[in-house]
């Protein structure tokens, strides 16, 4: 054999080996059409079909591993099973080991590991494992920051980094030393911008948009622009339970029960969708706000019957108490009230509030003022005219305690704020702050937050910051986490 033929044979062998090696590396992170469909099915909460699609892929494909972990995390987040959580932790460990052994020169290697950690952290936070969640988020953050330095133009980094940067930016000032000590850097504007970039991506845009709208509605004050974006998001994704859930949750938070009702009518049944009892809970909330107590009770009961986790269990029993109490079924109401202390956990703010109501009743045996309670429910639903009528039936001097008086003035402030009577709103909120002084209640902090928003809208930044700082100053109440995050986010927004 000639030297030329030997050389050609050697060259072909080397070329074949290089091409084969490149093919193997490409297969390390192959987000092919099948896995894209599986991912899309997860965003619709069609988890069984997503797993069926994913099962056809190589177990060494990083995107297959990522999709499987996302499906498992969504499942545990929704059902809140500690047993399934323990299994998820093991699956995540195995998944991270697989991806860590894949091509280290690919930007997906760190990105997918970080996202898997972040999904786990969300589950840990939901189940009350807050310290573990914090450590897991920090680990994800470091991976993504490293990835951003190595691959500055890799846009997929922005999705989870954006969320983390917003969370860092909304940490209250007196806890900033912790983020600095841990080397965590970021702010709200940066995070929102990153999420906006990621939401334009055809493959991951849905998830980025979901996170962006959630943050803009739960940490920042909701404005008309966000409301329009939420409506567009829901209309474009009516086949997604996740999008519909977001639309309902934000509508309820925004005191727009009629809008939430319309979205609930779009929720798909069957066809492989993951069952979400939370939709029963929201139906119950709407009926309660409308004053249809029998319907409300039936949906709260349905939620308790279907859901095996802990979220909103205490709150559901509290609302069952309210439904029966306002329906003049006092004996049944007290029975439901006793269940608050026996079932559920104090992890969500509404469950903490329900437990606090029970504890106060256990000490004082005092039941709430019905007109005040009906006003509160009407406000929650966005029925401000009805709420105003309820408050007209109340004489502040006839209320038995400063707690009820602070509650009454806070509710009046919310009504006037939403019907555009700013002067009356300011007067009522200030009165609530005065009455709530030295009381174990959220009304002082809640009223201060709203006063901050009012003055921020009036462009009086000095007064706005004073009221936001006042909201932060309250040491202990059932809504401290959310109010502190919102107040700090507003201060950061003003100072930027």
């Amino acid at each position: 054999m000639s030297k030329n033929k030997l050389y050609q044979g050697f060259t072909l062998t080397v070329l074949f080996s290089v091409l084969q090696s490149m093919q193997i590396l490409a297969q390390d992170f192959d987000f092919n059409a099948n896995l894209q469909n599986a991912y899309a099915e997860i965003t619709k909460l069609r988890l069984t079909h997503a797993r069926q699609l994913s099962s056809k892929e190589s177990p060494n494909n990083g995107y297959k591993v990522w999709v499987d972990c996302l499906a498992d995390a969504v499942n545990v987040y929704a059902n809140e099973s500690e047993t399934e959580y323990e299994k998820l932790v093991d699956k995540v460990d195995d998944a991270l080991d697989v991806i860590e052994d894949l091509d280290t020169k690919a930007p997906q290697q760190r990105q997918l590991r970080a996202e898997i950690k972040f999904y786990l952290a969300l589950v840990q936070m939901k189940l009350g494992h807050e310290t573990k969640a914090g450590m897991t988020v920090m680990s994800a953050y470091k991976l993504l920051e490293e990835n951003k330095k190595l691959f500055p133009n890799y846009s997929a980094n922005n999705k989870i980094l954006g969320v983390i940067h917003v969370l860092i930016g909304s940490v209250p000032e007196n806890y900033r030393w912790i983020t600095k000590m841990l080397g965590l850097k970021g702010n709200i504007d940066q995070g929102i911008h990153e999420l906006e970039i990621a939401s334009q991506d055809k493959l991951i845009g849905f998830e980025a948009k979901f996170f962006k709208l959630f943050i803009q509605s739960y940490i920042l004050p909701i404005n008309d622009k966000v409301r329009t974006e939420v409506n567009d998001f829901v209309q474009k994704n009516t086949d997604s339970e996740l999008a519909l859930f977001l639309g309902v949750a934000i509508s309820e938070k925004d005191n727009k029960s009629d809008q939430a009702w319309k979205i609930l009518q779009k929720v798909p049944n069957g066809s492989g969708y993951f069952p979400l009892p939370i939709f029963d809970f929201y139906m119950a909330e709407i009926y309660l706000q409308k004053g249809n107590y029998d319907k409300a009770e039936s949906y709260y009961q349905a939620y308790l019957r279907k859901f095996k986790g802990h979220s909103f269990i205490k709150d559901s029993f509290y609302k069952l108490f309210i439904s029966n109490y306002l329906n003049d079924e006092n004996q049944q109401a007290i029975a439901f009230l006793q269940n608050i202390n026996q079932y559920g956990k104090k992890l969500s703010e509404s469950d903490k509030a329900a437990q606090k109501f029970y504890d106060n009743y256990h000490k004082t045996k005092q039941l709430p003022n019905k007109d005040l309670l009906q006003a509160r429910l009407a406000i929650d639903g966005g029925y401000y005219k009805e709420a105003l009528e309820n408050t007209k039936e109340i004489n502040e001097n006839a209320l038995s305690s400063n707690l009820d008086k602070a509650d009454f003035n806070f509710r009046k402030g919310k009504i006037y704020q939403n019907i555009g009577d700013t002067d009356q709103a300011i007067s009522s909120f200030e009165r609530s702050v005065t009455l709530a002084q030295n009381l174990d209640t959220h009304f002082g902090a809640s009223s201060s937050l709203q006063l901050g928003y009012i003055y921020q809208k009036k462009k009086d930044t000095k007064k706005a910051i004073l009221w936001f700082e006042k909201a932060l100053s309250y040491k202990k109440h059932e809504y401290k986490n959310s109010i502190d995050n919102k107040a700090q986010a507003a201060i950061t927004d003003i100072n930027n």
Side-chain angles (χ1 to χ4, degrees):
M1 184 178 293
S2 69
K3 290 182 178 180
N4 187 44
K5 288 183 177 179
L6 282 171
Y7 176 75
Q8 288 178 340
F10 174 76
T11 303
L12 287 171
T13 301
V14 171
L15 181 61
F16 177 77
S17 297
V18 170
L19 289 172
Q20 189 176 42
S21 176
M22 289 176 65
Q23 185 180 21
I24 290 171
L25 290 177
Q27 289 174 347
D28 278 1
F29 301 103
D30 182 14
F31 200 21
N32 57 45
N34 183 55
L35 283 172
Q36 289 177 34
N37 287 335
Y39 173 62
E41 288 292 88
I42 294 174
T43 66
K44 297 174 184 177
L45 296 192
R46 289 168 50 89
L47 302 185
T48 300
H49 191 217
R51 290 190 179 99
Q52 289 171 349
L53 292 171
S54 174
S55 67
K56 300 174 184 177
E57 302 297 325
S58 165
N60 294 317
N61 182 345
Y63 277 107
K64 182 262 194 299
V65 176
W66 170 75
V67 162
D68 287 345
C69 276
L70 177 55
D72 290 335
V74 168
N75 175 59
V76 181
Y77 188 92
N79 65 35
E80 298 182 357
S81 166
E82 284 285 351
T83 302
E84 292 298 316
Y85 164 69
E86 295 299 333
K87 294 178 182 177
L88 176 65
V89 171
D90 292 337
K91 289 178 182 178
V92 165
D93 287 341
D94 292 341
L96 294 174
D97 287 342
V98 171
I99 298 179
E100 199 165 0
D101 288 339
L102 300 181
D103 182 13
T104 57
K105 296 180 180 179
Q108 296 93 335
Q109 202 258 12
R110 291 170 185 79
Q111 174 225 340
L112 297 185
R113 285 161 57 205
E115 292 200 6
I116 288 171
K117 287 173 180 283
F118 183 77
Y119 300 145
L120 176 62
L122 292 180
V123 174
Q124 290 170 328
M125 185 64 70
K126 185 81 176 293
L127 295 177
H129 306 306
E130 294 181 356
T131 301
K132 289 180 180 179
M135 297 300 292
T136 308
V137 168
M138 188 170 65
S139 179
Y141 167 83
K142 289 181 176 179
L143 278 171
L144 288 170
E145 284 291 339
E146 180 184 359
N147 213 37
K148 193 172 184 179
K149 290 178 182 177
L150 292 171
F151 308 99
N153 297 320
Y154 184 58
S155 64
N157 285 325
N158 290 310
K159 181 179 62 176
I160 303 303
L161 259 184
V163 178
I164 297 175
H165 284 151
V166 170
L167 294 176
I168 294 170
S170 61
V171 171
E173 191 66 38
N174 56 326
Y175 290 105
R176 289 288 174 87
W177 66 271
I178 299 176
T179 59
K180 290 178 181 177
M181 182 183 70
L182 296 174
L184 303 176
K185 299 177 181 178
N187 59 66
I188 293 169
D189 286 343
Q190 176 188 5
I192 294 296
H193 178 66
E194 288 165 336
L195 284 168
E196 186 62 48
I197 293 172
S199 67
Q200 306 306 314
D201 190 290
K202 291 182 180 180
L203 297 180
I204 62 170
F206 175 96
E207 193 182 353
K209 192 76 171 180
F210 178 92
F211 284 133
K212 176 177 173 286
L213 293 174
F214 186 90
I215 284 168
Q216 289 178 314
S217 302
Y218 277 78
I219 294 180
L220 306 176
I222 303 175
N223 56 39
D224 289 339
K225 183 176 181 292
V226 173
R227 292 183 183 104
T228 299
E229 287 186 38
V230 171
N231 184 62
D232 290 345
F233 184 68
V234 170
Q235 295 304 319
K236 291 176 182 176
N237 297 283
T238 53
D239 61 342
S240 167
E241 274 194 317
L242 201 57
L244 296 175
F245 161 74
L246 184 71
V248 172
I250 291 176
S251 297
E252 275 293 290
K253 185 172 183 60
D254 196 26
N255 308 125
K256 297 187 183 303
S257 278
D258 289 343
Q259 181 175 297
W261 171 267
K262 290 176 183 177
I263 298 172
L264 282 166
Q265 307 315 302
K266 302 178 188 292
V267 174
N269 294 314
S271 303
Y273 285 95
F274 191 84
L276 286 181
I278 190 66
F279 288 132
D280 289 301
F281 179 84
Y282 281 125
M283 287 289 284
E285 295 280 276
I286 293 169
Y287 278 120
L288 183 61
Q289 291 155 6
K290 286 177 174 289
N292 190 333
Y293 306 124
D294 291 335
K295 277 282 191 180
E297 178 170 353
S298 69
Y299 276 101
Y300 284 123
Q301 293 280 22
Y303 176 74
L304 290 169
R305 186 171 62 253
K306 295 176 185 178
F307 187 56
K308 305 305 178 186
H310 58 75
S311 291
F312 310 128
I313 300 300
K314 289 182 181 294
D315 190 33
S316 291
F317 281 118
Y318 171 58
K319 301 294 177 49
L320 282 167
F321 156 76
I322 291 176
S323 299
N324 282 270
Y325 177 57
L326 294 179
N327 216 14
D328 296 323
E329 299 285 348
N330 284 8
Q331 186 175 353
Q332 187 63 40
I334 297 301
F336 283 124
L337 185 58
Q338 301 299 332
N339 285 339
I340 295 173
N341 197 47
Q342 298 178 35
Y343 301 102
K345 296 181 180 180
K346 295 187 294 181
L347 296 179
S348 73
E349 290 184 330
S350 60
D351 286 323
K352 290 177 183 177
Q355 183 66 48
K356 186 174 181 179
F357 178 85
Y358 167 82
D359 292 340
N360 287 336
Y361 170 77
H362 186 65
K363 292 176 184 175
T364 66
K365 301 302 179 185
Q366 288 185 343
L367 292 171
N369 180 287
K370 289 189 176 183
D371 288 321
L372 186 55
L373 198 52
Q374 287 172 324
R376 174 196 140 192
L377 294 171
I379 293 168
D380 288 345
Y383 308 118
Y384 300 114
K385 290 182 180 179
E386 292 85 344
L388 191 57
E389 289 302 314
N390 285 122
T391 58
K392 288 178 179 177
E393 300 295 321
I394 303 169
N395 181 344
E396 182 187 316
N397 294 326
L399 296 173
S400 60
S401 67
N402 278 352
L403 179 63
D404 282 346
K405 292 175 183 179
D407 186 351
F408 170 62
N409 281 280
F410 173 69
R411 305 303 169 190
K412 280 206 305 180
K414 289 287 287 182
I415 294 168
Y416 289 126
Q417 184 182 24
N418 281 282
I419 64 176
D421 191 337
T422 303
D423 291 339
Q424 286 274 30
I426 290 173
S427 176
S428 296
F429 284 135
E430 288 180 342
R431 174 71 174 150
S432 182
V433 170
T434 301
L435 289 163
Q437 191 172 0
N438 300 321
L439 294 179
D440 181 17
T441 176
H442 72 91
F443 295 121
S446 294
S447 294
S448 298
L449 179 69
Q450 297 308 318
L451 284 164
Y453 285 145
I454 289 172
Y455 284 111
Q456 185 180 20
K457 192 173 182 179
K458 289 164 72 75
K459 308 296 183 184
D460 189 339
T461 56
K462 186 177 180 180
K463 280 189 177 180
I465 290 175
L466 285 173
W467 280 113
F468 288 134
E469 289 177 343
K470 176 72 172 175
L472 288 166
S473 71
Y474 290 85
K475 299 299 182 185
K476 186 180 179 182
H477 55 85
E478 58 271 37
Y479 297 110
K480 183 165 179 60
N481 286 342
S482 61
I483 289 177
D484 281 9
N485 284 339
K486 291 173 183 175
Q488 186 58 55
I491 292 171
T492 303
D493 182 49
I494 290 171
N495 288 332
N496 282 343

